[in-house]
Amino acid sequence: MRLKHCHNFQDFRTLAQKRLPSPIFNYIDGAADDEITYRRNTKSFDACDLVPNVLAGVEDVDMSVTVMGQKLDMPIYCSPTALQRLFHHDGEYAVAAAAEKYGTMYGVSSLGTVSLQEIRKKYSNPQAYQFYFHKDRGLNRAMMESAKDAGIDVMMLTVDCITGGNRERDLRTGFSIPFRLTLAGMLQFAIKPMWGINYITHKKFSLPQLDEHVDMSDGAISIGRYFTEMLDPSMTWKDVEEMVKFWDGQYCLKGIMSVEDAKKAVDIGCTGIILSNHGGRQLDGSRSPFDQLAEIVDAVGDKIDVIMDSGIQRGTHVLKALSLGAKAVGGGRFYLFPLAAAGQDGVERALELMRAEIERGMRLMGCKSVRDLSSKNLRFR
Ligand SMILES: Cc1cc2nc3c(=O)[nH]c(=O)nc-3n(C[C@H](O)[C@H](O)[C@H](O)COP(=O)(O)O)c2cc1C
């Protein structure tokens, strides 16, 4: 199977599985506990159907959106994800370059493997910085200041990671940073030698967002310990309110799910909220963002940009989310499997297929612009 044979999410997933040592594949593909929420995320889109209008003169279709002050040429962006250079040696460079080509936003994770400053200089499309809240308030300020100086467009605070999710596939393989593989896990690396050759012959693995502030070198601290020792589980709305003021720009919370929290985000001055369950990787049994979207849009949709991620695999999923009032959507695995499968070419192909699916879907729906999409075009079964 080659990249040109990939026509959808499942094809990219299959090719990624062929290329990656299975502990890494399972880190991307896996989720928390019984992975019920992970499966529901995509299934929830099947609970409703699109109702098209026809004869609407749809020769030109405009799928651009403006979200948190950023103009995106397509309504889906690349959500921030950790450790991208483990999935392909070009990692974040490949994702940012592909996102730039398609005129959309990408997020750089706190656990990113390329420095957000470096990538900011290279690419001009909107860039979000996914932030974790540290016990050390001075450190939080220093990190935000350097992000501000770098010209980051959107600050994205992840609020659904107050403690790590229980990812049992990783426990079985021993996937962690630094690697603590089980014997079976090691064997899986041995049978995918190309991955190892690429890993060794390219830029040394590092976590630049943290390296500057935390000694992560040579296993001095693991990601597990970083979460338990450095991040602050006592974080409250008051803390976030101060950060929002300090940032004084586009600021969104990633991982909001309840109406109460959505209202609080408005009250403390956030400009966006992302309904997300982290792709099912945190609280298993929690509701899917698409199932929850209408309720949140009804409550705060006129006061703040409502965005959602988790489970999106198709252009029609994007159209359904926009019909319910999302301003834009994010996705993780929809570009991570393509990245693992074929680097930048893979991510470009994924964005191209997504763009074509959205455009085709809009034409078939009789929509010239995303503004034409509304809940009138949607029926729940
Ligand atoms: C491998 C992987 C790593 C991720 N790393 C992060 C991260 O570092 N920070 C974060 O806020 N979200 C992270 N996420 C969550 C994504 O930003 C996004 O919420 C999720 O992937 C959406 O679900 P989807 O993969 O079904 O599209 C990660 C997701 C995956 C699959």
Side-chain angles (χ1 to χ4, degrees):
M1 188 188 199
R2 313 243 313 261
L3 182 62
K4 66 178 183 195
H5 302 124
C6 292
H7 301 291
N8 61 36
F9 181 93
Q10 292 304 335
D11 294 340
F12 288 120
R13 182 179 174 277
T14 304
L15 189 53
Q17 190 164 19
K18 286 202 163 73
R19 301 258 156 102
L20 288 174
S22 78
I24 300 185
F25 172 79
N26 280 303
Y27 170 69
I28 302 174
D29 193 48
D33 294 0
D34 299 310
E35 304 189 350
I36 292 167
T37 292
Y38 179 24
R39 287 191 293 278
R40 176 66 199 170
N41 282 344
T42 301
K43 249 192 149 332
S44 61
F45 291 101
D46 298 340
C48 65
D49 302 301
L50 293 163
V51 183
N53 289 316
V54 295
L55 306 178
V58 286
E59 63 280 33
D60 296 317
V61 160
D62 174 13
M63 68 172 80
S64 68
V65 293
T66 299
V67 63
M68 294 182 290
Q70 317 304 310
K71 169 121 186 324
L72 312 185
D73 293 344
M74 59 193 289
I76 183 166
Y77 66 89
C78 299
S79 294
T81 57
L83 311 180
Q84 289 177 12
R85 283 199 296 118
L86 280 190
F87 314 149
H88 185 277
H89 50 266
D90 289 335
E92 286 84 351
Y93 299 110
V95 177
E100 182 180 62
K101 183 165 171 190
Y102 283 86
T104 194
M105 182 166 78
Y106 64 99
V108 177
S109 167
S110 280
L111 302 176
T113 52
V114 168
S115 120
L116 61 92
Q117 284 84 355
E118 183 190 348
I119 212 152
R120 169 75 295 171
K121 277 192 207 127
K122 258 182 122 130
Y123 305 102
S124 58
N125 44 325
Q127 182 180 338
Y129 176 23
Q130 180 272 314
F131 200 79
Y132 287 122
F133 189 77
H134 302 87
K135 286 178 185 159
D136 180 345
R137 307 297 199 260
L139 179 61
N140 289 333
R141 281 171 186 256
M143 287 171 123
M144 280 198 287
E145 253 159 15
S146 71
K148 189 125 229 171
D149 292 345
I152 297 301
D153 303 287
V154 174
M155 185 55 86
M156 201 179 264
L157 179 73
T158 297
V159 289
D160 59 12
C161 274
I162 208 77
T163 184
N166 177 40
R167 307 193 191 146
E168 293 179 1
R169 295 202 216 182
D170 296 345
L171 297 178
R172 265 177 227 116
T173 62
F175 182 91
S176 64
I177 300 294
F179 286 140
R180 250 183 261 112
L181 296 169
T182 57
L183 200 61
M186 273 181 227
L187 189 69
Q188 293 304 316
F189 276 76
I191 61 174
K192 297 278 165 66
M194 263 326 282
W195 181 90
I197 291 167
N198 278 324
Y199 182 71
I200 292 165
T201 54
H202 289 86
K203 191 172 151 188
K204 189 173 181 283
F205 180 82
S206 66
L207 298 170
Q209 270 62 259
L210 301 184
D211 285 343
E212 242 185 68
H213 308 281
V214 183
D215 184 12
M216 304 283 289
S217 59
D218 299 322
I221 186 168
S222 66
I223 288 187
R225 271 183 58 206
Y226 166 72
F227 270 86
T228 50
E229 290 176 19
M230 300 206 55
L231 300 189
D232 192 352
S234 72
M235 165 170 74
T236 63
W237 285 98
K238 189 89 210 110
D239 297 312
V240 180
E241 185 172 10
E242 279 166 23
M243 284 177 82
V244 173
K245 282 210 183 81
F246 185 78
W247 178 253
D248 191 24
Q250 297 294 336
Y251 196 109
C252 69
L253 300 182
K254 177 171 178 288
I256 292 294
M257 287 298 292
S258 74
V259 167
E260 293 78 7
D261 284 354
K263 287 181 176 164
K264 283 181 191 151
V266 173
D267 292 343
I268 64 166
C270 291
T271 54
I273 47 171
I274 304 172
L275 272 70
S276 169
N277 56 32
H278 219 100
R281 297 162 76 81
Q282 287 296 106
L283 179 64
D284 197 30
S286 65
R287 194 160 161 82
S288 89
F290 184 68
D291 284 334
Q292 187 68 349
L293 182 58
E295 217 178 292
I296 302 276
V297 170
D298 274 357
V300 297
D302 55 343
K303 300 184 185 78
I304 196 166
D305 283 351
V306 178
I307 302 154
M308 67 149 279
D309 77 23
S310 299
I312 288 167
Q313 299 181 359
R314 282 283 185 195
T316 47
H317 297 162
V318 180
L319 295 183
K320 286 179 177 179
L322 296 179
S323 297
L324 278 192
K327 286 271 157 52
V329 302
R333 298 175 182 91
F334 95 99
Y335 77 86
L336 285 179
F337 288 135
L339 172 68
Q344 184 176 335
D345 288 348
V347 183
E348 284 185 11
R349 185 166 172 87
L351 288 171
E352 176 56 35
L353 289 173
M354 191 55 94
R355 201 195 58 73
E357 285 189 18
I358 294 169
E359 188 176 88
R360 186 184 311 114
M362 285 178 68
R363 283 214 168 92
L364 292 171
M365 289 289 296
C367 295
K368 283 185 266 203
S369 137
V370 292
R371 279 189 302 280
D372 298 339
L373 288 162
S374 77
S375 56
K376 283 194 207 139
N377 304 124
L378 216 53
R379 288 289 178 284
F380 282 82
R381 291 181 182 180

